[in-house]
Amino acid sequence: MDGHNVYVESKVEGYSWSRLYGVQRKTVTLDKVIYDGAAQITNEAWIRACRDRGSLRPDNCAQTVRRERPEPRHK
């Protein structure tokens, strides 16, 4: 443990990046729903975890992961 806080950045197509902050020295479960109707019908999303290293050094982030909404199942 290096004492730095971690945050998650997420983005859906057509919107800018949004940050969800963690709590130092604790496990945080993220269960976030965006109620914007336009964001709910998007097909692509990107997510990455970053380490907040303070104001003197730049943050470093994990590789960005792209996710796609699965095709609906037809009965």
Side-chain angles (χ1 to χ4, degrees):
M1 292 287 205
D2 61 4
H4 292 101
N5 201 6
V6 175
Y7 60 89
V8 173
E9 288 187 321
S10 61
K11 177 182 180 359
V12 295
E13 57 183 328
Y15 287 82
S16 60
W17 288 96
S18 62
R19 285 187 182 182
L20 303 167
Y21 288 96
V23 179
Q24 270 186 309
R25 295 177 184 79
K26 293 189 180 187
T27 300
V28 176
T29 303
L30 293 177
D31 186 10
K32 179 82 172 167
V33 177
I34 306 298
Y35 289 100
D36 185 337
Q40 290 181 356
I41 61 171
T42 185
N43 289 324
E44 292 180 292
W46 296 266
I47 188 168
R48 64 183 171 211
C50 300
R51 182 172 57 167
D52 186 355
R53 294 172 34 152
S55 59
L56 297 178
R57 296 189 293 175
D59 297 352
N60 49 352
C61 298
Q63 185 174 4
T64 303
V65 177
R66 179 181 165 268
R67 294 289 180 222
E68 213 172 291
R69 185 183 302 270
E71 293 291 324
R73 295 184 197 169
H74 299 292
K75 291 183 178 185

